[in-house]
């Protein structure tokens, strides 16, 4: 029997906004135009992209082959100075190029010309396509609502217990006169701004990090963040809302520890629980579990002694997947998964689904495999828990997949296919993985 009623938390809109991430994915790729002739006096820190003392007109002709094409030329008017010529928006852009051990045309410094051009194309593309959007990013901040700032709240089970709080000199904890210091930072892997919830674009120096509490924000958003940071949060692991691949690389694990630990706990005491994954746990206690993982990582206590209701643990696992900035089934792979759900021939459907799985990053694919094997075991207890593959598809479809389309109606039309994708993955887990 299919479920017709849905928990309201399954349809909560995602916190993290994907628009700027999608634009970065669409940005032109660098295309080096190499010089076929030997050029005299070529600086040792440039490669075959150096064309010597050619005119702007010659550079323009060489670059007309494609968007993202680039070369370096020596100025005819000022010998000894160099220009990066870059094709963008069907015209050639010229930038004075400098080198002091690293390459730069502005504030950012790069190890290679290729990285400089890649970052430049991303920035040009996003600022051209989304100038108005970027200007309004700070209007509706999530700063007060994200888990980051709520980590300092009391756990729900301690709210009525007397607490003795040690006081600290504010000057000691947050720098001079209590004003936190925010430094330009290069983030490894995709990161989202913890003030406006938008993607922090570029290859390096994508935003700033608070030296006191570790808050990650855009440079322009940093001016809007109140100076109320909590220095003790500097050591928070931020398991939730962290890019999945970045998290597993940081912890040197195959899968996020929250997935492994929650599934172990559920399988040890919850497989026969009626409505498993469909029934919601108490939201404050689910937030407590999230806070425990963010503070204590693999040392978080989610045992029956702490959380007797197994629905709190299932809720925490669903929340982890909902809070991923890039969904478990990624935006890049999403169209192929939806395509597979629309195919009527079973063999062709499975073949397309198998191709879709190959599009996932390794950490996403491994986590999906582990989750589907678990959900398959949940269905083996259907007589007790009343949860078959179809019911689990209804719960997990919108949890694991989000449409890259910004159009709400288009995304809504995909929901039935999202459910079917998860149902197919559960039923064919042994064949597909």
């Amino acid at each position: 029997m299919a479920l017709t009623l849905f928990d309201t938390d399954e349809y909560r809109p995602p916190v993290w906004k994907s628009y700027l991430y999608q634009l970065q994915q669409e940005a032109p790729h660098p295309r080096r135009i190499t010089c076929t002739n030997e050029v005299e006096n070529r600086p040792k820190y440039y490669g075959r992209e150096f064309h010597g003392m050619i005119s702007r007109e010659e550079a323009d002709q060489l670059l007309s082959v494609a968007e993202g094409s680039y070369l370096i030329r020596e100025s005819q008017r000022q010998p000894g100075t160099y220009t990066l010529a870059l094709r963008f928006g069907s015209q050639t852009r010229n930038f004075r190029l400098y080198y002091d051990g690293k390459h730069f045309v502005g504030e950012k410094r790069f190890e290679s010309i290729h990285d400089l051009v890649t970052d430049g194309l991303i920035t040009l593309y996003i600022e051209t396509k989304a100038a108005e959007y970027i200007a309004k990013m700070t209007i509706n901040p999530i700063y007060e609502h994200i888990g980051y700032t709520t980590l300092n709240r009391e756990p729900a089970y301690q709210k009525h217990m007397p607490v003795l709080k040690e006081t600290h000199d504010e000057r000691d904890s947050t720098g001079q006169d209590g004003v936190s210091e925010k430094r330009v930072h290069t983030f490894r892997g995709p990161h989202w701004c913890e003030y406006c919830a938008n993607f922090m674009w570029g290859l390096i120096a994508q935003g700033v990090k608070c030296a006191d509490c570790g808050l990650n924000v855009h440079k322009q958003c940093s001016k809007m963040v109140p100076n109320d940071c909590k220095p003790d949060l500097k050591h928070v692991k931020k398991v939730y809302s962290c890019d999945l691949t970045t998290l597993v690389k940081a912890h040197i694990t195959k899968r996020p520890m929250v997935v492994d630990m929650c599934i172990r706990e559920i399988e040890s005491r919850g497989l026969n629980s009626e409505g498993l994954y469909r029934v919601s746990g108490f939201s404050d206690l689910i937030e407590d579990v999230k806070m425990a993982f963010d503070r204590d990582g693999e040392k978080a206590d989610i045992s029956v002694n702490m959380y007797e209701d197994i629905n709190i643990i299932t809720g925490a696992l669903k929340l982890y997947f909902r809070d991923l900035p890039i969904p478990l089934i990624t935006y890049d792979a999403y169209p192929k998964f939806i395509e597979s759900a629309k195919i009527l021939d079973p063999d062709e459907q499975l073949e397309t689904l198998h191709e879709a799985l190959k599009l996932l990053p390794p950490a996403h694919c491994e986590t999906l495999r582990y989750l589907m094997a678990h959900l398959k075991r949940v269905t083996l207890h259907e007589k007790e828990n009343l949860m078959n593959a179809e019911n689990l598809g209804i719960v997990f479809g919108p949890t694991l997949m989000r449409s890259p389309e910004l159009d709400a109606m288009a995304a809504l039309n995909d929901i039935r296919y999202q459910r079917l994708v998860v149902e197919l993955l559960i039923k064919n887990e042994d064949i597909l993985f």
Side-chain angles (χ1 to χ4, degrees):
M1 180 180 70
L3 302 175
T4 54
L5 297 175
F6 309 102
D7 298 322
T8 55
D9 67 344
E10 303 303 339
Y11 291 89
R12 189 186 67 176
V15 172
W16 309 107
K17 300 165 187 173
S18 66
Y19 178 52
L20 298 180
Y21 173 76
Q22 297 285 358
L23 287 183
Q24 175 158 314
Q25 297 296 92
E26 295 170 7
H29 296 288
R31 180 169 175 173
R32 184 172 74 149
I33 303 298
T34 56
C35 183
T36 55
N37 304 320
E38 280 300 322
V39 180
E40 292 183 10
N41 302 320
R42 181 176 69 193
K44 61 182 180 181
Y45 40 83
Y46 296 142
R48 304 289 298 196
E49 69 275 1
F50 183 73
H51 286 248
M53 199 175 285
I54 62 172
S55 67
R56 284 192 172 213
E57 291 73 26
E58 289 174 288
D60 192 45
Q61 189 172 358
L62 288 167
L63 294 173
S64 62
V65 290
E67 283 282 283
S69 299
Y70 72 93
L71 58 81
I72 297 169
R73 62 182 180 84
E74 186 173 1
S75 173
Q76 293 178 330
R77 292 180 182 176
Q78 295 177 285
T81 62
Y82 304 100
T83 297
L84 172 67
L86 174 66
R87 191 74 173 179
F88 179 80
S90 301
Q91 59 182 335
T92 300
R93 310 285 183 100
N94 293 282
F95 304 90
R96 178 67 66 85
L97 187 59
Y98 301 92
Y99 182 80
D100 63 357
K102 291 190 176 180
H103 305 278
F104 61 100
V105 297
E107 291 181 358
K108 294 185 180 183
R109 282 161 163 75
F110 298 85
E111 296 289 346
S112 70
I113 292 293
H114 183 273
D115 285 353
L116 186 156
V117 174
T118 302
D119 187 85
L121 287 168
I122 289 168
T123 302
L124 285 168
Y125 189 78
I126 288 178
E127 290 182 354
T128 300
K129 292 278 187 179
E132 188 176 345
Y133 182 92
I134 291 169
K136 296 178 179 178
M137 281 195 311
T138 59
I139 291 175
N140 295 308
I142 59 156
Y143 178 71
E144 295 299 330
H145 307 289
I146 58 172
Y148 178 85
T149 54
T150 61
L151 285 168
N152 223 41
R153 70 175 176 81
E154 291 179 41
Y157 60 83
Q158 289 183 0
K159 278 185 179 173
H160 303 294
M161 295 172 61
V163 178
L164 293 175
K165 293 188 178 178
E166 184 180 355
T167 59
H168 296 278
D169 187 295
E170 192 177 26
R171 184 187 296 268
D172 291 339
S173 62
T174 56
Q176 189 174 9
D177 299 324
V179 177
S180 59
E181 182 184 358
K182 298 176 180 68
R183 299 171 183 164
V184 173
H185 188 78
T186 292
F187 298 95
R188 304 299 174 193
H191 274 72
W192 271 252
C193 175
E194 291 168 325
Y195 182 80
C196 73
N198 281 287
F199 179 64
M200 295 198 283
W201 64 91
L203 285 193
I204 68 166
Q206 303 97 328
V208 299
K209 178 185 279 286
C210 178
D212 295 311
C213 68
L215 185 75
N216 304 321
V217 292
H218 291 111
K219 192 172 181 179
Q220 72 187 74
C221 292
S222 67
K223 299 165 188 171
M224 312 293 291
V225 176
N227 283 310
D228 63 349
C229 69
K230 309 294 188 290
D232 63 318
L233 299 185
K234 183 167 23 180
H235 305 294
V236 166
K237 294 174 176 62
K238 295 184 186 176
V239 172
Y240 279 69
S241 296
C242 178
D243 173 63
L244 191 150
T245 299
T246 304
L247 183 70
V248 298
K249 283 183 177 178
H251 291 271
I252 318 174
T253 56
K254 291 169 69 177
R255 297 175 298 272
M257 91 278 286
V258 62
V259 175
D260 282 15
M261 290 175 64
C262 285
I263 285 177
R264 279 200 302 269
E265 193 65 28
I266 293 160
E267 294 198 353
S268 70
R269 59 185 174 100
L271 288 176
N272 292 328
S273 177
E274 186 175 327
L276 190 67
Y277 285 112
R278 179 183 59 80
V279 177
S280 293
F282 183 44
S283 60
D284 278 5
L285 290 175
I286 291 171
E287 284 293 326
D288 283 356
V289 174
K290 172 182 176 177
M291 182 170 65
F293 276 115
D294 280 339
R295 281 191 174 280
D296 306 320
E298 65 277 359
K299 294 180 181 177
D301 184 0
I302 58 170
S303 67
V304 67
N305 297 327
M306 285 294 291
Y307 304 103
E308 186 177 353
D309 182 5
I310 197 63
N311 298 311
I312 294 164
I313 309 304
T314 59
L317 181 60
K318 289 187 291 181
L319 180 62
Y320 171 75
F321 287 120
R322 277 201 306 271
D323 276 1
L324 284 174
I326 301 173
L328 186 60
I329 292 177
T330 61
Y331 294 118
D332 291 342
Y334 183 92
K336 197 72 174 175
F337 277 94
I338 294 297
E339 179 191 334
S340 71
K342 295 177 179 180
I343 296 171
L344 299 178
D345 180 74
D347 292 336
E348 188 183 345
Q349 188 174 58
L350 283 180
E351 182 61 36
T352 306
L353 203 51
H354 195 260
E355 290 172 11
L357 287 168
K358 292 177 184 177
L359 300 176
L360 294 176
H364 283 249
C365 192
E366 168 56 25
T367 304
L368 184 63
R369 179 201 67 77
Y370 190 74
L371 176 64
M372 291 305 114
H374 162 64
L375 295 180
K376 183 71 167 283
R377 290 190 287 275
V378 170
T379 66
L380 298 180
H381 295 256
E382 182 191 347
K383 284 186 179 178
E384 293 78 26
N385 61 36
L386 307 181
M387 296 301 287
N388 58 23
E390 185 181 358
N391 295 341
L392 289 168
I394 291 170
V395 172
F396 275 95
T399 301
L400 305 182
M401 305 177 72
R402 292 200 295 273
S403 172
E405 294 290 332
L406 292 177
D407 178 26
M409 282 307 298
L412 197 61
N413 289 335
D414 280 354
I415 287 177
R416 57 178 172 158
Y417 299 116
Q418 293 172 357
R419 299 172 189 163
L420 185 54
V421 165
V422 175
E423 181 183 344
L424 290 167
L425 288 170
I426 295 170
K427 287 180 175 177
N428 299 285
E429 167 267 332
D430 54 337
I431 300 169
L432 291 167
F433 294 98

